[in-house]
Amino acid sequence: MAELKSGEVGTSAAPSDLDRGGSRRRWVILALVFTIIVINFIDRQTLSMLAPVLRNIFHLSNEAYGRIVAALQFGMMSGEFPMGWLMDRWGARLGLTAAVLTWAGFTGSQFFTQSGLQLGITRFWMGSTEVASYSGGMKTVSRLFTEKDRTLAIGIFNSGSVVGTTVAPLLVVSLLNHFGFRVAFLAPAILAFCWVPIWWRIQRGESGRPNAQDVTGTPIKTLLGQSSAWAVMLCRMMIGPVIQFYWYWLPSYLFSARHMSLMSIGLVGWIPFFMGVVGGVSGGASAGWLLRRGVSIYNTRRITMYFSSALCVASLAVPWMPTAGWALTVVSLVVMAHNFLSANMYGAIADLFPVKLVGRVTGLTGVSGGVSGFLLPLLTGILVDRVSYKPVFVIIAFMPLFGTVALFLLGRRYRQPAMQQAP
């Protein structure tokens, strides 16, 4: 299949959207996208924070826990493209409203689970709709922000993932100690239900909503025939599961390998994810700073992504650190670098595709990321039970660098004059 025409590069949005986006309202909308990402990741991190308790109550091995994590990842993989299509077809206002109401319902249903199997089933359905937050967020940001501000906006809303994982340890441990693990599962659902009416009101009169022809005019076969699609898909396949390992396994690693108590993990487990906020915002700000100083889009992405993916190799050192404190220090550096990298990875989607395709392309990258995100927890559970955490840290050390290489090898549109010249 032929590539998109050069005039269709996703570096501009509809003028009316950008005019309106110049007001404070676009930052309020961005804050709401950020907020729902925070709630998403409180929800996801709840499982990892409760893992030691759930293993005891439901009699779960590391492999069984890995299957529950994989169920969430499989649900996310299954829902990515349908949710991306939904955002392109309905627009972010209606699409996110429907998706958030659905996943909040499944999240709340975890209150009633009685076994590892039931928990895995609810996590699957939760994941299949929760992924809409990213495709909806990308759709919103691509529509409201120019290329010089877009990566910063992506970095801000993507930092909601690390804010959520930063808040989760203190919140979940507190709810667990006072009310039990079931209420800890219920809290994110209540927050999500409260978010919906605010989003619906602020996003009223959403413009830039595509019509049916925009969505059906570019079938998935055409997208998959483009090297740029495979570039961003393989990039996310390698990069996405690394931070997921830290979300889902860091508390278990600190508990079992570093012999920290749950209370201690709750007190310090937020630090790496706070550094992730710093990384996400600085990754977006750095890209904007380079673009404003005349660096081309292509060179901006190369500088920011190779630098941060090289820092991610520091994961190699984590299991060999002499103390838990030093291990957390290295993890903090890696999580900061990973979110710096992720802001620019998502920015690459907007670089290479027009706004009308952003939802579906983000969904496709989510499917590819879901494949590796499904397999890595299974592999992690097996390696931890039969060997140790050390081989897992070796694997995740190099995945971000491989993903970055794949992006620039296959993303041939970056070699076009429009990408090579300063904006």
Side-chain angles (χ1 to χ4, degrees):
M1 286 288 180
E3 299 283 339
L4 290 170
K5 297 178 181 178
S6 59
E8 293 181 332
V9 176
T11 55
S12 62
S16 60
D17 289 332
L18 295 178
D19 291 343
R20 186 187 60 180
S23 68
R24 289 181 297 177
R25 186 168 176 270
R26 68 173 179 166
W27 296 102
V28 174
I29 293 172
L30 179 63
L32 285 173
V33 175
F34 168 86
T35 301
I36 198 59
I37 296 292
V38 171
I39 298 170
N40 270 189
F41 282 87
I42 292 174
D43 189 10
R44 297 184 197 183
Q45 191 72 358
T46 298
L47 177 66
S48 65
M49 288 304 304
L50 295 175
V53 175
L54 295 173
R55 282 205 199 96
N56 183 51
I57 293 174
F58 295 146
H59 309 291
L60 303 172
S61 66
N62 281 306
E63 287 189 46
Y65 173 69
R67 288 194 292 269
I68 294 173
V69 175
L72 172 67
Q73 298 303 122
F74 186 67
M76 293 170 66
M77 178 180 67
S78 303
E80 285 280 9
F81 190 77
M83 290 296 109
W85 181 90
L86 188 71
M87 297 306 139
D88 283 342
R89 179 66 181 88
W90 287 5
R93 186 195 189 209
L94 181 56
L96 266 181
T97 297
V100 171
L101 286 173
T102 304
W103 74 252
F106 287 120
T107 294
S109 70
Q110 292 174 104
F111 181 89
F112 303 102
T113 55
Q114 300 293 329
S115 68
L117 175 61
Q118 291 177 7
L119 187 58
I121 292 172
T122 57
R123 299 295 284 188
F124 168 84
W125 288 109
M126 184 191 82
S128 68
T129 46
E130 196 174 73
V131 291
S133 298
Y134 267 89
S135 51
M138 282 295 298
K139 188 74 175 178
T140 300
V141 165
S142 298
R143 184 171 58 84
L144 292 179
F145 290 85
T146 64
E147 65 181 26
K148 291 183 176 64
D149 292 326
R150 191 175 293 145
T151 308
L152 174 59
I154 292 170
I156 290 172
F157 92 69
N158 186 48
S159 293
S161 63
V162 284
V163 171
T165 47
T166 300
V167 171
L170 296 174
L171 176 62
V172 173
V173 170
S174 177
L175 290 172
L176 173 66
N177 288 337
H178 288 89
F179 305 104
F181 77 92
R182 297 188 184 280
V183 173
F185 277 130
L186 190 60
I190 295 172
L191 292 173
F193 281 125
C194 292
W195 179 89
V196 168
I198 302 172
W199 172 257
W200 185 259
R201 179 174 176 79
I202 294 296
Q203 275 280 62
R204 67 188 185 281
E206 176 188 8
S207 64
R209 175 179 167 182
N211 57 38
Q213 185 176 1
D214 289 333
V215 176
T216 59
T218 309
I220 187 173
K221 182 179 179 180
T222 300
L223 290 176
L224 292 176
Q226 299 169 23
S227 63
S228 293
W230 287 101
V232 292
M233 287 168 65
L234 289 174
C235 185
R236 189 170 175 185
M237 176 180 282
M238 292 290 104
I239 292 174
V242 175
I243 195 65
Q244 292 167 7
F245 167 79
Y246 286 111
W247 292 334
Y248 300 135
W249 292 92
L250 181 59
S252 293
Y253 170 72
L254 295 175
F255 183 82
S256 61
R258 294 292 179 170
H259 309 296
M260 293 178 64
S261 68
L262 278 178
M263 184 58 69
S264 297
I265 295 170
L267 290 174
V268 302
W270 60 270
I271 296 174
F273 303 110
F274 172 77
M275 295 306 297
V277 176
V278 176
V281 175
S282 61
S286 297
W289 185 85
L290 290 169
L291 289 168
R292 287 186 175 86
R293 278 153 184 79
V295 180
S296 68
I297 296 172
Y298 174 64
N299 285 328
T300 293
R301 296 292 177 226
R302 283 204 308 170
I303 291 168
T304 55
M305 295 185 72
Y306 276 118
F307 167 74
S308 51
S309 62
L311 286 180
C312 289
V313 177
S315 288
L316 282 171
V318 174
W320 282 272
M321 289 294 100
T323 66
W326 277 109
L328 273 173
T329 300
V330 178
V331 169
S332 297
L333 171 66
V334 172
V335 173
M336 180 177 68
H338 188 281
N339 281 273
F340 189 108
L341 175 64
S342 293
N344 285 277
M345 176 191 71
Y346 285 112
I349 298 173
D351 292 344
L352 299 175
F353 293 91
V355 175
K356 69 180 182 179
L357 297 178
V358 162
R360 277 162 291 167
V361 174
T362 303
L364 283 175
T365 66
V367 172
S368 63
V371 172
S372 54
F374 171 72
L375 295 175
L376 185 62
L378 296 176
L379 178 61
T380 299
I382 294 171
L383 290 174
V384 171
D385 274 345
R386 301 180 184 179
V387 187
S388 71
Y389 278 97
K390 289 180 180 179
V392 184
F393 281 107
V394 172
I395 292 169
I396 65 173
F398 293 100
M399 288 175 65
L401 187 57
F402 291 159
T404 300
V405 171
L407 176 69
F408 294 108
L409 281 180
L410 296 178
R412 287 181 290 175
R413 291 183 59 76
Y414 274 127
R415 299 180 180 83
Q416 294 184 357
M419 293 288 186
Q420 296 282 351
Q421 298 171 1

